[in-house]
Amino acid sequence: MKIALIARAAWADPQAYTVDKQRVIVKPENLFLSLADRAVLTFAQQVVHTRGGTIDAYTFEPDAAAADRILHEALALGATTATKIVGGDLADPLQQRELIQRFVQRLIKQGQHYDLWLTGDTADSGFAAILAQELAAYYYEHVTALDSAFNFEIGLAKGKLLGQCQLPAVITTDDLIQVPELATFAALKTAMVAPITTIDLPIKSKPSTLVATQEQTDKVIFNLAQEPDATAKLVAKLKQDGILR
């Protein structure tokens, strides 16, 4: 059983970044492997223990130091190999698909085929769906429970969806499908000196640019006491602004 983990940083951690007016300041020294990814890595270890196989960890984190830190954590928690992908920005909508396509093409060229792709934190990205499409793999998203026989549960607003994953599969999880393990000091010490492979995938697509426009709308005051038709004027203004239909 060959398993691939897409390791990501815990951006939900309030210490990962600060917001100053119109700027977001990232603190890469506070970026560590997300708790959800630690949980799926714990699950992957259980699968390998039951069925045999290997776990290869990949990350697309743009900050080199954070990427190394995340991969070292993954190695300490049972990953067999660690690889960081550079050359493009996975969070950029104009570069994302090309980056994934080049990544998959490289894997195919090297004869790397995985039975299972796991990631526990993809709320801010369509990465997993695109990856499944490029791999022609089954896709299961927002899985809330999963066992080593790949029986899954997806929580719904009213009830739950049950089934069994077909392989090869790309799976994302919503909750902590397993209680994440903690790495031992000995494992961390070994992982810190373990080799990390770097794959450079130069992207032809130019990075997108976010341009924020600030528009000031006219302030209108409706005086209900002095204007008998103030209510009608207010409704008309709300319709003009698209708030009411």
Side-chain angles (χ1 to χ4, degrees), residues 18-242:
T18 56
V19 179
D20 179 21
K21 294 182 180 179
Q22 297 181 357
R23 294 187 306 162
V24 177
I25 303 171
V26 179
K27 301 176 180 178
E29 67 275 9
N30 291 328
L31 290 177
F32 296 92
L33 185 66
S34 72
L35 188 62
D37 282 338
R38 283 169 50 195
V40 295
L41 185 51
T42 300
F43 165 76
Q45 290 183 72
Q46 294 177 359
V47 173
V48 169
H49 179 73
T50 302
R51 297 169 174 257
T54 58
I55 306 169
D56 294 336
Y58 296 90
T59 189
F60 291 80
E61 289 296 336
D63 183 83
D68 287 348
R69 191 180 306 115
I70 291 166
L71 290 173
H72 282 141
E73 284 188 82
L75 288 168
L77 289 168
T80 309
T81 66
T83 305
K84 60 182 176 181
I85 312 300
V86 301
D89 185 358
L90 192 67
D92 192 311
L94 296 183
Q95 294 189 353
Q96 186 180 81
R97 181 171 289 276
E98 182 183 354
L99 182 59
I100 296 170
Q101 288 175 339
R102 287 178 176 267
F103 175 57
V104 172
Q105 289 169 1
R106 184 181 180 92
L107 291 177
I108 294 174
K109 185 177 181 180
Q110 293 182 336
Q112 287 275 44
H113 300 284
Y114 292 97
D115 304 294
L116 191 63
W117 290 83
L118 294 170
T119 182
D121 192 7
T122 61
D124 60 341
S125 170
F127 166 83
I130 299 174
L131 178 64
Q133 183 181 38
E134 294 297 325
L135 291 168
Y138 294 95
Y139 178 45
Y140 303 89
E141 63 177 348
H142 306 308
V143 172
T144 51
L146 189 65
D147 63 24
S148 57
F150 309 123
N151 296 304
F152 70 85
E153 174 185 307
I154 298 177
L156 305 175
K158 294 183 179 180
K160 54 189 176 182
L161 178 65
L162 303 176
Q164 186 176 48
C165 297
Q166 300 297 309
L167 303 181
V170 176
I171 300 176
T172 73
T173 63
D174 252 1
D175 300 334
L176 301 182
I177 60 173
Q178 297 284 337
V179 176
E181 293 183 355
L182 293 175
T184 65
F185 288 109
L188 283 170
K189 184 177 180 180
T190 302
M192 291 302 295
V193 295
I196 292 177
T197 302
T198 301
I199 297 178
D200 189 1
L201 299 176
I203 303 302
K204 296 180 181 178
S205 302
K206 294 181 179 180
S208 59
T209 303
L210 179 62
V211 179
T213 58
Q214 296 182 352
E215 298 182 359
Q216 293 185 351
T217 58
D218 296 333
K219 295 182 179 180
V220 181
I221 299 176
F222 300 96
N223 192 325
L224 297 176
Q226 298 180 6
E227 299 181 59
D229 59 345
T231 301
K233 289 181 179 179
L234 175 60
V235 172
K237 179 63 177 174
L238 292 175
K239 288 183 178 180
Q240 178 183 343
D241 292 344

Side-chain angles (χ1 to χ4, degrees), residues 1-21:
M1 172 70 64
K2 288 182 62 66
I3 301 175
L5 168 73
I6 303 299
R8 305 191 71 179
W11 283 95
D13 189 330
Q15 295 183 339
Y17 60 91
T18 56
V19 179
D20 179 21
K21 294 182 180 179

